[in-house]
Amino acid sequence: MTSEVVENEFEFYSKAEKYWKDVPATVDGMLGGYGHISSIDINSSRKFLQRFLRDGPNRTGTTRALDCGAGIGRITKRLLLPLFKTVDMVDVTEDFLTKAKSYLGEEGRRVRNYFCCGLQDFSPEPNSYDVIWIQWVIGHLTDNHLSDFLKRCRAGLRPNGIVVIKDNMAQEGVIMDDVDSSVCRDLDVVRRLIRRAGLHLLAEERQENFPDEIYHVYTFAMR
C-alpha cells in the first residue's frame, strides 16, 4: 500500500508538481520519451471504449467526457473529441493546459472547461459525464486519495456512464518512483481500491504491442 512507500504526503505531491513543470509540453513529454507508442495506445483505447458506446439498452452516452491528468490533450484530441460532443480536461500543470488550447486546434472549441487542479482536490460535477477517462495518473495519488477520487467520479457519472483507468501495473506490491514522485501498484491493489470506492468492474484488458522494457499496462472500465 502507498502508506508503506510514501513517507511524506505533502512532499509526494509537491515533488510531482515540480517534476511536471519541467517536462516539455509535447506528446513525447507526456509519454516520457515514448511518443512513438501514442497511436498504438489510442487505437487500443478506442476499441476498448467503443464496446460500451454501441447500441443497446445499457449503452454509454456520448454527450460529455472528462479527461483526467489530461496534459496537453493527447487523449482529448485523438480519443475523446472524435467520440463525444464535449470534453472537459483536468491537469495539475497550467502550462500543459495552456499548450492544449493550440495543440487541439479547431476541435478544441468543444472543450468546455480546463480545470487546473490535482486530482486529490478535484470533484467532477455530479451526474455530468458519460465517460471519465483516467490515464497514467493514478500513481500520483495515495491510496486514500485515489479511492476518494474514484468515489467522486462515481457520483459524476450520468446514467450508464463509466469510469476508465488505464495505467502501468507492477508485478507485485507497490513500487515508488522517486524521479517523478509516483507509485506503481499491482493489479490486486488497484482492484481492491476500485472495490473500496464502491465501483463494479465491467471489463479489464492488458495493452498489447507496447515496448517490452516498460511496465505492463492495463485498462479497467467500471461503474
Side-chain angles (χ1 to χ4, degrees):
M1 305 301 277
T2 53
S3 54
E4 293 163 17
V5 293
V6 177
E7 291 172 13
N8 181 318
E9 194 176 274
F10 175 78
E11 202 174 275
F12 175 69
Y13 286 111
S14 56
K15 197 174 165 187
E17 276 194 53
K18 186 174 182 302
Y19 169 84
W20 285 105
K21 276 194 171 78
D22 293 332
V23 168
T26 62
V27 169
D28 211 42
M30 299 303 96
L31 294 176
Y34 283 88
H36 60 283
I37 69 171
S38 185
S39 290
I40 299 168
D41 167 58
I42 295 289
N43 290 338
S44 296
S45 294
R46 189 182 299 111
K47 276 185 195 157
F48 182 88
L49 187 51
Q50 280 177 328
R51 73 177 82 167
F52 297 98
L53 307 181
R54 293 193 190 110
D55 290 338
N58 298 316
R59 186 177 77 85
T60 297
T62 54
T63 302
R64 193 170 167 204
L66 174 66
D67 186 357
C68 300
I72 64 168
R74 181 185 72 91
I75 291 163
T76 289
K77 180 173 184 161
R78 297 194 53 200
L79 176 69
L80 300 177
L81 281 173
L83 294 171
F84 296 87
K85 288 188 181 72
T86 63
V87 179
D88 288 347
M89 294 169 59
V90 55
D91 197 275
V92 76
T93 307
E94 197 161 352
D95 285 352
F96 293 164
L97 295 175
T98 301
K99 172 69 176 180
K101 288 166 188 174
S102 59
Y103 171 74
L104 293 171
E106 194 65 16
E107 291 298 294
R109 288 176 309 153
R110 294 189 291 111
V111 175
R112 295 188 348 148
N113 295 295
Y114 296 86
F115 299 109
C116 188
C117 188
L119 297 183
Q120 69 275 18
D121 299 315
F122 183 73
S123 293
E125 191 184 327
N127 192 34
S128 292
Y129 297 104
D130 296 298
V131 169
I132 297 177
W133 193 275
I134 309 165
Q135 183 161 347
W136 280 322
V137 68
I138 65 167
H140 285 302
L141 296 174
T142 63
D143 287 348
N144 287 340
H145 281 158
L146 175 55
S147 180
D148 288 346
F149 175 61
L150 290 175
K151 284 177 190 168
R152 298 194 297 274
C153 286
R154 192 182 76 198
L157 293 179
R158 287 157 58 94
N160 296 323
I162 57 170
V163 177
V164 178
I165 288 174
K166 186 169 187 177
D167 221 304
N168 300 335
M169 297 294 136
Q171 290 292 98
E172 189 178 350
V174 180
I175 299 165
M176 182 77 189
D177 184 335
D178 282 321
V179 176
D180 68 355
S181 192
S182 70
V183 296
C184 186
R185 303 168 172 91
D186 70 23
L187 281 165
D188 286 341
V189 174
V190 173
R191 290 186 195 117
R192 194 156 65 240
L193 291 170
I194 288 168
R195 284 197 302 272
R196 198 210 284 183
L199 286 158
H200 172 64
L201 207 52
L202 303 172
E204 179 184 308
E205 183 175 281
R206 183 178 161 190
Q207 172 71 50
E208 295 179 346
N209 302 317
F210 269 8
D212 292 338
E213 71 271 16
I214 66 173
Y215 283 115
H216 292 168
V217 172
Y218 277 78
T219 312
F220 307 87
M222 62 209 92
R223 67 164 61 108

